[in-house]
Amino acid sequence: NMDRHHYEMFTKFGDDGFLLHLDNARGFGRHSHDEISILAPLSQCCIIKRTTLLRLQLLAEPEYRLSDVMRESLLQDPLAPVLTEPHLLALDRRLQLILKAVRKCTDTHGEAKVVANDTAQPEAPVSDRVKLST
């Protein structure tokens, strides 16, 4: 979302506040224009969490297509239709652009360097490990 510049911090409850994004008017942009510059962090850093990649790959499958999932989800919104059909189809097209950028990274650097394994449990520090007597 290139237009998300402004946010407020809701602090009525002190330190238990949260961010409140207000500027989402162009959240989905023009359905006919894909802003490729948004992919710069992915293309330049070439790193993505495994769980994120797996979810994106799932949403690219015909039976779980992103546009279909969003369409169904948005039917429950009192303001439906929230997105037009061209905007929903743009989600599928843009998802393919993301996956293409990831493939380019993995082709260049290898999957092991690009896909961060966030599903593995971190190993406990040596001082916290239980010592087994033999």
Side-chain angles (χ1 to χ4, degrees), residues 13-102:
F13 304 109
D15 290 340
D16 294 328
F18 54 88
L19 290 177
L20 181 64
H21 289 276
L22 298 175
D23 189 1
N24 290 305
R26 289 181 53 201
F28 285 88
R30 293 190 322 264
H31 64 81
S32 58
H33 175 72
D34 300 333
E35 187 56 57
I36 303 301
S37 66
I38 290 174
L39 294 177
L42 175 60
S43 300
Q44 292 169 357
C45 298
C46 279
I47 191 162
I48 187 169
K49 289 194 264 182
R50 180 171 304 283
T51 54
T52 301
L53 179 57
L54 291 173
R55 180 61 51 97
L56 294 175
Q57 289 171 332
L58 180 65
L59 290 169
E61 293 293 324
E63 60 270 22
Y64 300 104
R65 191 173 322 229
L66 178 56
S67 59
D68 294 338
V69 172
M70 284 294 289
R71 188 181 299 104
E72 185 177 335
S73 173
L74 292 172
L75 286 175
Q76 308 305 316
D77 196 296
L79 299 178
V82 176
L83 294 176
T84 64
E85 193 61 23
H87 278 99
L88 289 168
L89 297 176
L91 293 175
D92 295 328
R93 186 180 66 245
R94 293 168 181 166
L95 175 56
Q96 290 303 315
L97 294 173
I98 294 168
L99 293 173
K100 182 179 176 183
V102 172

Side-chain angles (χ1 to χ4, degrees), residues 109-124:
H109 305 287
E111 185 175 328
K113 291 200 181 230
V114 174
V115 182
N117 188 2
D118 61 332
T119 59
Q121 294 295 326
E123 191 173 307

